[in-house]
């Protein structure tokens, strides 16, 4: 009987020690996030993969190149579903071999000239003209410290790159360029490709609000001479002429003559190389009211600056206007135009226009 009590006591002791050990193990290996201690992110995983430029691996990055904002914004846990879908669509189209000629480009000086740098907050912004870029430039100008508020920035300074305090990515050395591409928060904005072309035509060849005479007096005559069918027509550049020029597979002959002025109507692919540079966020002009605050938050600057007030209705896609402008254009010319901009339509989820399908 005495032995039975000893055996029973020993069993209770073993069970008690097992419970203590189990509790210790649980407390030791519990997820640190439960206690507000976040795991260190793997900083050596570059967000951007650029085929042409290789970055030597560094054990410790200088402080000025440490990531800021939400560098890992591709993580679905940190993004609303719409932004996850945009990035996934972009990746899928980039992998489509049938569209490779329309979706891929080299990271040339032309592309690097389009990307503006804010080193202070580790941000890269690729300029896509006719998509509300003036306002984003103002945001970066304030962040770079050239002006204390957006309201103080004179309009003539915004696009004066010698005075606005916005360095271009092309102004840095190859190694500095690559570090910024790998580690900075990167974004750009798109809109319906055909509506953007209409905006460019109206802004540069009809209204010309900033008085840039070279568009009417140099570029327009060059397009008219080559693409106008009716040689007796004396009116200024018409949208039909503009469409023929843009849809011509040999348009580069004139592009070279026009220089950087073509940034207002070349494709997003040619401007920003979205299949070669991994962007953190791609905003859409049509949803800018939601996208602008989201971009500021993801970049970690929403407490420092606000996007300028957006006038009601200005970002809404105007289907009626687009159909009106293209109503007098031949189906052949529209198809040629779409063939050039198909990459932009597919990469960013824009539907092929109904008037092209009928």
């Amino acid at each position: 009987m005495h032995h039975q009590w000893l055996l029973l006591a020993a069993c209770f002791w073993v069970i008690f020690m097992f419970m203590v050990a189990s509790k210790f193990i649980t407390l030791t290996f519990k997820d640190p996030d439960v206690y507000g201690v976040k795991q260190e992110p793997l900083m050596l995983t570059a967000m951007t993969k650029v085929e042409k430029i290789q970055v030597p691996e560094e054990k410790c990055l200088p402080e000025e190149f440490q990531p800021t904002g939400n560098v890992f914004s591709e993580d679905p846990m940190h993004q609303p579903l719409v932004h996850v879908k945009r990035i996934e669509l972009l990746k899928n189209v980039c992998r489509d071999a049938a569209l490779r000629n329309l979706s891929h480009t080299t990271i040339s000086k032309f592309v690097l000239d389009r990307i503006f740098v804010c080193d202070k907050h580790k941000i890269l912004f690729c300029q896509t003209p006719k998509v509300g870029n003036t306002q984003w430039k103002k945001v970066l100008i304030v962040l770079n410290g050239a002006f204390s508020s957006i309201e103080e920035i004179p309009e003539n300074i915004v696009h004066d790159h010698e005075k606005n305090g916005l360095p271009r990515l092309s102004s840095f050395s190859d190694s500095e360029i690559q570090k910024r591409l790998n580690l900075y928060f990167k974004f750009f904005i798109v809109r319906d490709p055909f509506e953007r072309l209409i905006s460019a035509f109206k802004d540069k060849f009809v209204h010309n609000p900033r008085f840039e005479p070279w568009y009417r007096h140099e570029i327009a005559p060059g397009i008219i001479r080559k693409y106008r069918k009716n040689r007796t027509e004396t009116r200024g550049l018409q949208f039909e002429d503009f469409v023929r020029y843009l849809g011509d597979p040999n348009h580069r002959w004139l592009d070279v003559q026009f220089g950087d002025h073509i940034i207002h109507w070349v494709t997003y692919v040619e401007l920003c190389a979205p299949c070669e540079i991994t962007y953190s966020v791609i905003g859409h002009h049509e949803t800018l009211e939601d996208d602008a605050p989201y971009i500021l938050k993801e970049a970690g600057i929403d407490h420092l600056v606000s996007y300028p007030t957006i006038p009601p209705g200005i970002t809404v896609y105007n289907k009626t206007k687009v159909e009106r402008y293209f109503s007098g254009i031949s189906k052949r010319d529209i198809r040629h135009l779409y063939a050039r901009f198909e990459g932009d339509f597919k990469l960013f989820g824009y539907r092929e226009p109904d008037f092209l399908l009928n």
Side-chain angles (χ1 to χ4, degrees):
M1 186 70 178
H2 178 70
H3 291 291
Q4 291 178 340
W5 280 108
L6 286 176
L7 182 60
L8 186 61
C11 289
F12 275 115
W13 175 254
V14 170
I15 293 171
F16 174 77
M17 292 303 295
F18 177 80
M19 291 174 63
V20 170
S22 176
K23 185 67 174 178
F24 176 77
I25 292 171
T26 303
L27 288 174
T28 303
F29 295 101
K30 196 135 183 167
D31 184 355
D33 281 344
V34 175
Y35 299 95
V37 181
K38 294 191 176 181
Q39 297 172 313
E40 290 297 320
L42 299 176
M43 293 301 186
L44 294 180
T45 302
M47 185 178 176
T48 304
K49 297 178 182 178
V50 184
E51 298 176 353
K52 301 297 183 182
I53 310 175
Q54 297 296 326
V55 185
E57 186 175 337
E58 299 181 34
K59 293 183 179 179
C60 182
L61 293 168
E63 182 180 354
E64 63 268 25
F65 289 118
Q66 291 296 331
T68 188
N70 191 351
V71 176
F72 299 95
S73 58
E74 287 188 5
D75 182 356
M77 295 298 293
H78 293 91
Q79 281 194 314
L81 184 59
V82 63
H83 294 285
V84 175
K85 287 183 175 180
R86 287 175 185 174
I87 295 296
E88 286 303 312
L89 173 64
L90 177 73
K91 289 180 179 178
N92 290 336
V93 177
C94 287
R95 288 193 289 261
D96 189 341
L99 292 171
R100 184 170 182 82
N101 290 338
L102 295 171
S103 60
H104 288 261
T105 189
T106 57
I107 303 179
S108 62
K109 184 179 183 299
F110 182 82
V111 171
L112 297 175
D113 278 344
R114 311 280 76 79
I115 300 176
F116 295 101
V117 181
C118 176
D119 275 331
K120 186 176 181 180
H121 299 283
K122 282 75 174 179
I123 297 171
L124 299 181
F125 166 61
C126 185
Q127 176 189 24
T128 50
K130 317 324 304 168
V131 191
N133 281 256
T134 298
Q135 307 305 326
W136 284 111
K137 280 187 177 181
K138 290 179 179 178
V139 168
L140 293 183
I141 289 171
V142 170
L143 290 173
N144 275 352
F147 291 86
S148 59
S149 71
I150 287 175
E151 293 73 24
E152 294 178 10
I153 306 172
E155 288 297 325
N156 63 316
I157 294 293
V158 178
H159 301 290
D160 188 335
H161 300 298
E162 294 182 359
K163 299 179 180 179
N164 65 14
L166 289 181
R168 298 174 189 263
L169 192 54
S170 58
S171 65
F172 298 89
S173 68
D174 288 348
S175 61
E176 290 175 326
I177 289 171
Q178 187 63 66
K179 286 178 180 178
R180 287 167 173 80
L181 284 174
N182 281 348
L183 297 173
Y184 281 20
F185 178 87
K186 300 169 290 296
F187 76 100
F188 67 100
I189 313 295
V190 298
R191 73 188 294 187
D192 177 85
F194 278 4
E195 190 173 35
R196 173 176 170 253
L197 295 180
I198 293 172
S199 178
F201 174 76
K202 290 171 60 180
D203 183 57
K204 300 305 175 186
F205 301 106
V206 181
H207 303 310
N208 206 241
R210 285 188 291 274
F211 187 66
E212 300 162 312
W214 47 88
Y215 287 101
R216 287 186 183 178
H217 302 318
E218 297 176 23
I219 295 177
I223 295 174
I224 290 171
R225 281 193 298 270
K226 185 169 178 60
Y227 295 102
R228 178 158 294 177
K229 291 182 177 180
N230 184 358
R231 298 294 181 178
T232 62
E233 174 64 66
T234 59
R235 291 183 299 170
L237 185 71
Q238 300 298 297
F239 189 63
E240 183 180 15
D241 307 321
F242 190 54
V243 167
R244 286 202 194 99
Y245 153 55
L246 296 178
D248 183 359
N250 299 313
H251 62 85
R252 297 190 188 280
W253 183 81
L254 276 184
D255 288 351
V256 172
Q257 297 181 46
F258 298 158
D260 279 0
H261 298 308
I262 64 173
I263 65 172
H264 297 281
W265 50 77
V266 297
T267 65
Y268 299 128
V269 170
E270 294 170 279
L271 290 169
C272 298
C275 288
E276 285 65 41
I277 298 173
T278 304
Y279 286 89
S280 313
V281 178
I282 300 169
H284 282 227
H285 186 258
E286 294 83 0
T287 55
L288 196 57
E289 290 86 350
D290 295 324
D291 290 358
Y294 175 74
I295 289 170
L296 296 178
K297 181 180 179 181
E298 287 294 287
I301 56 174
D302 54 322
H303 62 293
L304 299 173
V305 66
S306 298
Y307 189 82
T309 302
I310 302 171
I314 197 170
T315 63
V316 177
Y317 173 67
N318 192 332
K319 182 180 179 181
T320 302
K321 178 184 68 177
V322 173
E323 291 179 344
R324 185 176 74 250
Y325 265 84
F326 281 93
S327 63
I329 313 298
S330 72
K331 283 289 181 63
R332 176 179 176 273
D333 289 338
I334 297 175
R335 289 194 183 96
H336 286 170
L337 182 68
Y338 181 79
R340 178 180 175 187
F341 286 85
E342 183 180 6
D344 283 358
F345 276 93
K346 296 289 179 61
L347 284 165
F348 307 111
Y350 288 102
R351 287 180 50 193
E352 185 176 346
D354 292 339
F355 52 80
L356 198 53
L357 300 174
N358 297 333

